[in-house]
Amino acid sequence: MISVKKISTWVLSALIFCSIVMTFRLWFAEKLWPNGYNFFSVANVFPVFGKQEVVAPRHEELFMPEQIVVNCVGSRRSIYTESNQEFLEVYEIAKENLNRWFREEHPESEKIEEKAYCDALKTRSLLVKYPVEMPVHILGQLLEIGDSVVADTVSTVTELVLVAKEDSVELLLMDRKDGTAYRYRLGSDGGELWDAVQRYGTGNANKILSAYELGFYRQPEDSEWKPKLILDPFVMLDTSNETQKTEVLEANVPFTELEYDGQMEELLRLFHYNPNTVRRYTEASDTLVFVSDRSTLRLYPDGLLEYNATEAKYGIPLFDGEGTNGDAQSFLDSVDQTADWLAGLFQTLGLKDFPKMRITSDISDQDYESFSVTMDYQVNGRLVAVNYAGNELVNPLLHGAVLEIQNHRITAIRILLRDYKMTEEREDNMSLLSALDAFSNRTDAMYEAENVALYFMDNGKDRLVKACWRVVLSNGETVAISEE
Amino acid sequence: MTGSEDAVTKKIAWIVSVWMTVCVLFAVGTSVFAAPTVVSGWDTGNTGNLVYVTNPSFSGGTVADAYCAVSGWAAQGTTLSLYRANQTGVFEQVTGGVAVGGSGMFFMPVWLNAGRNCMMVRAELWNGNYQQVRCDVNLIGHGFTFPAR
């Protein structure tokens, strides 16, 4: 009898406790369950059977080289991008050698002429090319070396050339800040790099030559010829001069079929809103707007997401730690945390994987406590250039994502949310020379270009995204060249 | 033959004759302005400033890759041809009819023969003005490596 009384007392206590907790949640936190909640669904109780977790890329992936060129003498040049299986293998070889450079306590270096630096492309070498200027101390962190004495001499680089000799390895680079070229000797065991160059120099890019090799990198010294366009010496140009076949992508907006009460609540929580208290309305343009006294979130029907915190302290916290040292490591930590947050966003939107993205902003002069970073989508090794025109109410957007981070808080986001799918369709693009001609036909002025390549071009409107030639000028402008 | 049939026949004959005249004029025109199939290695042309060759960077240079893109800048509207000397020293056309556009840039791909390759770039304008620039290059064997710089 006693035991039955005891049990009933425990049950009663538990029920009273539950009622207090549930009342508290009902009043102060949320509804007891969202509309449309399926009581019979137990999938979420056992995450292993539930949603697959979207894995965020680490900072190393977000700062991957754009391409690695393997120069093997005897018409056996190969170019690897992330779309190639061998890319990571070649990158590992480059990393091993760069590690040696960063670990040197007394690096043996000498200043060299620009010609000697560019000539490295004509020998057995491996060119690691980054899409943006990379501060050397950030590179050191990416390679998990930490601080290195080489960062005292060289500030930023865009290309690193590892020259393979039978008995030694040399690293040639140019400091982009002052234009000084250096040669570093990386020890006497060059055999591995030599073998790697032989192995990976298969000749898949024999007809692709650099602007330096073609002589398009400067005005002729012995002639009064005035070229209309001068290219960076390391721009790789396809000299076959044939039309280029590229894939056509389908640009899907991931939140058009958002389950209003389930996914939307999850999305709002990601932005640190209380779904029950946040004010929401829909504009005439079908834009969903969520407003609190701390921030505003807008979801445009074409996939643009805009978030703005009213003050830096109200931004989305990336992590609880206080340690904002303002150094390169804390910067990369912030990048990782931002990627984790974006992974949460993509997971909420129902994407199975994190779309391939890379950081495309100049990070060389960043204050690492408060910074702005741009990211762009990449499909099959090709960048997606966003050219979202906007209108009188919406500002244009020229990157896949623009994020502002202050003291480990995301204070502003503009992201064109996309889930790109490759279609069966293939599109013919004009030849490189035709594109350069089309560029020059538009102007009589002289230009210097840092890159000329085929990019996917997403204007935020069309469902099908096609590739087109794009000239990136030294003044930071980009010019898209289409046949229309 | 009725009057109307006669008029139709005359009309057809007139169209045919106009068409044939156009064809003959076009054929004559293209053959007159087409680059010759062989040129002299000593001829530098009847004008200058039509073309500037950037690769090979200097005539007589040595390369290790058999694939070469002869490149440079040329005046917009010129037509370029590339010639290479055969074993008897006659410069034969390798590539022709390369039109130069607004950028002025050009490249003409060619696979080099082992040893000495005597080449010539010919730039030609519609009015008969032309310039020829020599660009010789030596291809060394694959086993060769450049000495350490």
Side-chain angles (χ1 to χ4, degrees):
Chain A
M1 269 320 263
I2 294 165
S3 62
V4 173
K5 267 190 180 176
K6 257 187 180 174
I7 290 165
S8 62
T9 309
W10 279 112
V11 168
L12 204 59
S13 307
L15 285 170
I16 291 167
F17 177 75
C18 282
S19 67
I20 291 169
V21 169
M22 289 168 96
T23 310
F24 180 83
R25 285 172 72 99
L26 191 63
W27 284 357
F28 300 107
E30 57 183 332
K31 289 183 277 184
L32 288 180
W33 52 82
N35 290 350
Y37 178 75
N38 181 1
F39 281 91
F40 299 101
S41 165
V42 290
N44 291 338
V45 179
F46 305 105
V48 69
F49 301 114
K51 265 194 258 178
Q52 194 186 336
E53 195 154 309
V54 173
V55 181
R58 296 296 83 192
H59 52 249
E60 192 181 3
E61 286 174 67
L62 295 168
F63 286 108
M64 272 285 174
E66 181 182 37
Q67 55 180 212
I68 300 178
V69 183
V70 181
N71 301 300
C72 191
V73 181
S75 294
R76 281 170 53 200
R77 168 169 288 166
S78 298
I79 296 183
Y80 297 102
T81 62
E82 280 190 274
S83 62
N84 299 107
Q85 276 186 333
E86 300 92 337
F87 179 82
L88 285 178
E89 295 165 29
V90 185
Y91 180 56
E92 279 303 315
I93 294 160
K95 260 172 70 178
E96 277 170 31
N97 285 283
L98 293 176
N99 268 327
R100 288 161 70 176
W101 176 52
F102 276 105
R103 285 187 201 283
E104 291 272 1
E105 283 180 14
H106 306 289
E108 198 186 324
S109 70
E110 60 173 311
K111 286 185 184 175
I112 53 169
E113 296 286 316
E114 187 188 6
K115 186 179 182 310
Y117 167 57
C118 297
D119 269 341
L121 288 179
K122 295 180 179 176
T123 58
R124 281 185 174 79
S125 60
L126 205 138
L127 162 69
V128 182
K129 207 172 166 206
Y130 288 94
V132 289
E133 277 186 31
M134 290 294 292
V136 169
H137 58 278
I138 294 281
L139 259 183
Q141 296 290 344
L142 289 176
L143 297 171
E144 291 165 13
I145 308 291
D147 294 331
S148 165
V149 291
V150 292
D152 299 339
T153 317
V154 187
S155 52
T156 62
V157 291
T158 320
E159 299 93 10
L160 296 156
V161 191
L162 290 157
V163 179
K165 309 228 160 161
E166 274 180 281
D167 55 356
S168 65
V169 175
E170 287 177 355
L171 171 66
L172 275 64
L173 54 90
M174 180 180 276
D175 190 337
R176 287 280 162 177
K177 281 281 170 265
D178 59 11
T180 314
Y182 295 91
R183 185 205 317 264
Y184 284 86
R185 296 187 198 286
L186 306 182
S188 55
D189 50 336
E192 276 182 34
L193 185 64
W194 179 276
D195 292 343
V197 168
Q198 294 285 111
R199 191 163 63 250
Y200 292 103
T202 53
N204 70 15
N206 274 341
K207 293 184 178 176
I208 298 179
L209 301 182
S210 67
Y212 172 76
E213 290 165 300
L214 293 169
F216 294 143
Y217 70 106
R218 62 170 182 190
Q219 193 170 328
E221 285 170 348
D222 54 348
S223 161
E224 289 183 4
W225 201 275
K226 294 257 183 299
K228 283 174 85 176
L229 184 63
I230 290 174
L231 305 171
D232 181 272
F234 286 87
V235 174
M236 306 305 284
L237 304 166
D238 181 3
T239 61
S240 66
N241 210 22
E242 289 164 356
T243 54
Q244 309 269 318
K245 264 208 181 330
T246 49
E247 306 85 0
V248 175
L249 307 179
E250 193 181 85
N252 299 306
V253 177
F255 60 73
T256 46
E257 291 165 12
L258 217 55
E259 230 183 88
Y260 199 85
D261 280 318
Q263 271 174 298
M264 190 58 88
E265 275 193 13
E266 223 176 300
L267 185 74
L268 291 173
R269 274 182 219 294
L270 199 66
F271 287 88
H272 286 253
Y273 289 118
N274 181 339
N276 294 326
T277 56
V278 68
R279 278 165 285 161
R280 57 181 93 188
Y281 60 90
T282 307
E283 289 180 343
S285 60
D286 280 342
T287 304
L288 302 175
V289 186
F290 302 89
V291 189
S292 78
D293 51 350
R294 296 182 168 193
S295 60
T296 308
L297 171 68
R298 286 168 180 273
L299 289 169
Y300 294 86
D302 55 12
L304 179 67
L305 180 152
E306 278 183 346
Y307 167 85
N308 280 295
T310 52
E311 282 182 57
K313 63 181 177 184
Y314 297 141
I316 304 159
L318 290 173
F319 63 91
D320 303 330
E322 290 292 318
T324 58
N325 304 323
D327 59 6
Q329 185 54 52
S330 78
F331 166 70
L332 292 178
D333 286 344
S334 291
V335 168
D336 281 344
Q337 299 298 328
T338 307
D340 285 340
W341 184 86
L342 284 173
L345 175 65
F346 288 122
Q347 180 159 343
T348 307
L349 296 174
L351 268 68
K352 285 181 185 147
D353 297 305
F354 196 103
K356 193 92 196 156
M357 290 185 101
R358 66 159 59 248
I359 290 176
T360 48
S361 53
D362 182 2
I363 51 162
S364 56
D365 290 322
Q366 291 278 17
D367 162 11
Y368 296 129
E369 284 200 53
S370 299
F371 60 90
S372 159
V373 70
T374 64
M375 296 171 81
D376 283 288
Y377 294 96
Q378 189 176 9
V379 183
N380 210 15
R382 201 183 297 286
L383 274 179
V384 181
V386 169
N387 190 16
Y388 184 91
N391 53 44
E392 59 272 18
L393 297 173
V394 188
N395 288 329
L397 179 67
L398 300 174
H399 292 280
V402 182
L403 297 109
E404 277 172 34
I405 291 145
Q406 291 187 37
N407 293 321
H408 295 301
R409 279 176 185 270
I410 305 175
T411 55
I413 305 166
R414 294 193 82 214
I415 180 168
L416 190 65
L417 289 165
R418 286 287 183 268
D419 181 15
Y420 292 108
K421 295 265 185 295
M422 199 98 82
T423 63
E424 295 291 310
E425 210 179 317
R426 294 288 179 272
E427 180 82 357
D428 273 329
N429 293 276
M430 64 176 115
S431 69
L432 171 68
L433 261 188
S434 305
L436 292 173
D437 287 341
F439 170 81
S440 297
N441 284 339
R442 296 176 178 189
T443 173
D444 287 328
M446 271 181 67
Y447 284 101
E448 286 183 31
E450 286 186 351
N451 201 9
V452 183
L454 276 165
Y455 292 73
F456 290 116
M457 192 64 73
D458 190 347
N459 60 10
K461 290 179 196 160
D462 300 334
R463 192 173 167 82
L464 289 180
V465 171
K466 296 174 180 176
C468 88
W469 288 100
R470 197 162 172 252
V471 180
V472 182
L473 299 172
S474 304
N475 61 12
E477 284 177 41
T478 54
V479 182
I481 304 157
S482 60
E483 282 173 90
E484 288 115 40
Chain B
M1 204 180 256
T2 62
S4 63
E5 279 177 338
D6 195 33
V8 170
T9 315
K10 270 186 180 171
K11 215 173 190 178
I12 291 169
W14 186 82
I15 290 169
V16 169
S17 60
V18 167
W19 174 246
M20 285 179 73
T21 312
V22 167
C23 287
V24 168
L25 281 176
F26 181 76
V28 169
T30 48
S31 62
V32 165
F33 296 121
T37 49
V38 291
V39 291
S40 159
W42 302 106
D43 186 6
T44 55
N46 57 15
T47 188
N49 289 330
L50 279 188
V51 62
Y52 181 85
V53 176
T54 54
N55 186 50
S57 52
F58 61 94
S59 192
T62 303
V63 295
D65 291 339
Y67 178 77
C68 173
V70 174
S71 60
W73 283 290
Q76 186 174 358
T78 50
T79 307
L80 301 175
S81 307
L82 180 68
Y83 295 83
R84 176 162 49 187
N86 64 15
Q87 287 173 336
T88 58
V90 176
F91 281 80
E92 293 175 329
Q93 195 180 74
V94 181
T95 313
V98 177
V100 179
S103 69
M105 290 173 167
F106 70 87
F107 28 73
M108 292 184 282
V110 61
W111 287 94
L112 301 175
N113 300 324
R116 192 166 182 206
N117 291 260
C118 297
M119 295 189 290
M120 172 90 84
V121 175
R122 180 187 170 102
E124 223 170 341
L125 275 177
W126 60 273
N127 60 7
N129 284 350
Y130 72 99
Q131 185 189 358
Q132 295 192 161
V133 178
R134 276 289 284 271
C135 50
D136 297 352
V137 67
N138 297 299
L139 174 66
I140 51 172
H142 287 181
F144 184 90
T145 51
F146 285 106
R149 263 178 275 269

